[in-house]
Amino acid sequence: MSERRTRRRAALAAAAAADDAPTKSNQDKTIMNGSGNGNDNGEAVAPSDSKVDVSPRENIFIFWPNIIGYSRIVLAIASLYYMPLHPRTCSLLYSISCLLDALDGYAARYFQQSTKFGAVLDMVTDRCTTSCLLVFLSSAFPRWAIVFQGLISIDFASHYMHMYATLAMAGSDTSHKNVDKSRSWLLNLYYTNKTVLFLCCALNELFFIALYLLSFSSPLLSPQLLEPLGEHKAAAIQTGAQVNSSVLRQLFTNPYSAGALEMARANKMDSTFPWILAGISAPVMALKQFLNVLQMVKASRWLAEGDVDARRKAGLPKKKSMKKA
């Protein structure tokens, strides 16, 4: 009787051991595959409860700073439309466009929407609007055209070389405003101090706006825009013309119409206020042009240093072997 119990217990123990063997083997495979995220072939398998990123893709073009940048372009184009004959309207639209330059940077930091596209859009808008105003000043003051042309060239050349040097030498992830003090403490102060940057840019534009207003008001400068109205145009004004009463025509009047021409000459500004603005902003404008030249020189030297290092790594110039005659 005791032998039968012993054999039965031995058989039950052997059956229990056989049942536990597959479970242990599976556990060993799981450990070998690593943290349970694998199959029998040792390949990684994604866990069943893994979360898939289904967040919507951001549209950079409708970020708030970029929308402000688009509005700057619209205002700049409107100011150019009124520039030939409407100094007050043009100056107002142009000034608002320039002041929004500070607002888009604040919006980028507030909404955490700083982007490379926004930075380039801001720089291109600044360069284009200033250049268009300088082109008009070249035509208003022909004797000084070469000066305005030089200012346009320096502005474009310095910013292009600075941007290219930053991308080529520091990498695409580095902002053009990150100027090391070891290269130029003055450029570092200009780009990192928001107050200095705003004052330099604002007063630089203010000087050119003052010159623009003087082209309509100063008898000392006596530009061609102040020529008296001819008899033919005066007769056209007196005879009248068909009135376009559309809403768009009321908002955007034709700056070249005879009535607009007479209105522009009848509402000429006094030259005192523009002269004061020009006198206040002239030193800062000169400083801004100096910074443009300094920026171009520093960028040129930085690119030259990179060329020297690249040539050294390439083993250039290679020594030419002397051939026997």
Side-chain angles (χ1 to χ4, degrees):
M1 191 71 178
S2 60
E3 291 180 0
R4 290 180 179 180
R5 291 180 178 177
T6 303
R7 291 176 181 176
R8 186 179 296 175
R9 290 177 181 176
L12 292 175
D19 293 338
D20 293 340
T23 304
K24 185 177 181 181
S25 176
N26 291 336
Q27 291 177 351
D28 293 341
K29 289 181 179 181
T30 301
I31 294 173
M32 292 179 65
N33 291 335
S35 302
N37 295 331
N39 55 18
D40 293 342
N41 296 326
E43 299 174 355
V45 177
S48 59
D49 58 346
S50 62
K51 297 181 180 179
V52 181
D53 187 11
V54 293
S55 58
R57 183 178 179 180
E58 291 184 313
N59 190 346
I60 301 298
F61 297 104
I62 60 174
F63 277 9
W64 283 112
N66 298 334
I67 292 177
I68 296 174
Y70 305 147
S71 64
R72 289 188 61 203
I73 297 175
V74 173
L75 290 170
I77 294 175
S79 68
L80 296 179
Y81 179 79
Y82 288 107
M83 186 172 287
L85 297 172
H86 293 266
R88 292 181 177 83
T89 304
C90 172
S91 299
L92 178 62
L93 294 173
Y94 189 92
S95 299
I96 295 175
S97 177
C98 293
L99 290 175
L100 287 178
D101 187 20
L103 183 60
D104 61 359
Y106 174 79
R109 293 186 294 271
Y110 181 82
F111 294 104
Q112 299 180 0
Q113 293 179 342
S114 298
T115 59
K116 297 177 182 177
F117 169 76
V120 174
L121 177 67
D122 182 65
M123 176 180 291
V124 170
T125 303
D126 291 339
R127 304 284 76 74
C128 292
T129 52
T130 305
S131 299
C132 290
L133 179 55
L134 291 177
V135 168
F136 179 85
L137 293 178
S138 297
S139 62
F141 307 105
R143 293 183 179 180
W144 300 95
I146 189 173
V147 176
F148 297 119
Q149 292 166 354
L151 293 177
I152 295 174
S153 302
I154 293 174
D155 193 31
F156 270 100
S158 65
H159 284 85
Y160 177 82
M161 294 188 68
H162 178 68
M163 178 72 78
Y164 186 84
T166 303
L167 294 175
M169 304 302 297
S172 59
D173 294 333
T174 304
S175 172
H176 67 281
K177 294 184 178 181
N178 293 335
V179 180
D180 197 309
K181 286 185 178 180
S182 60
R183 294 198 170 274
S184 175
W185 67 268
L186 191 57
L187 289 177
N188 177 271
L189 175 65
Y190 172 74
Y191 277 116
T192 58
N193 192 309
K194 297 180 178 61
T195 303
V196 174
L197 180 62
F198 175 77
L199 289 177
C200 286
C201 294
L203 293 179
N204 180 69
E205 296 294 336
L206 182 62
F207 176 80
F208 296 131
I209 293 174
L211 288 184
Y212 166 72
L213 294 176
L214 286 173
S215 70
F216 287 89
S217 59
S218 174
L220 178 62
L221 300 178
S222 62
Q224 298 177 352
L225 294 174
L226 294 179
E227 292 179 355
L229 193 64
E231 295 181 359
H232 178 70
K233 295 180 179 179
I237 295 173
Q238 292 177 359
T239 56
Q242 186 178 359
V243 178
N244 188 344
S245 59
S246 63
V247 177
L248 290 178
R249 180 55 62 190
Q250 297 297 326
L251 294 177
F252 301 101
T253 58
N254 185 2
Y256 297 100
S257 64
L261 188 67
E262 178 64 19
M263 183 182 299
R265 285 177 168 80
N267 296 328
K268 293 192 297 290
M269 296 183 59
D270 181 76
S271 61
T272 303
F273 184 65
W275 274 117
I276 294 175
L277 294 179
I280 294 175
S281 57
V284 180
M285 185 278 302
L287 174 62
K288 181 67 168 61
Q289 305 313 315
F290 173 77
L291 289 174
N292 284 340
V293 175
L294 179 63
Q295 181 174 248
M296 183 169 57
V297 172
K298 294 296 183 180
S300 301
R301 291 181 176 177
W302 198 7
L303 289 172
E305 291 175 5
D307 290 335
V308 171
D309 293 338
R311 288 174 60 82
R312 184 183 297 111
K313 292 178 181 179
L316 298 176
K318 295 182 179 180
K319 297 181 179 180
K320 296 180 180 180
S321 58
M322 300 296 294
K323 295 182 179 180
K324 295 182 179 181

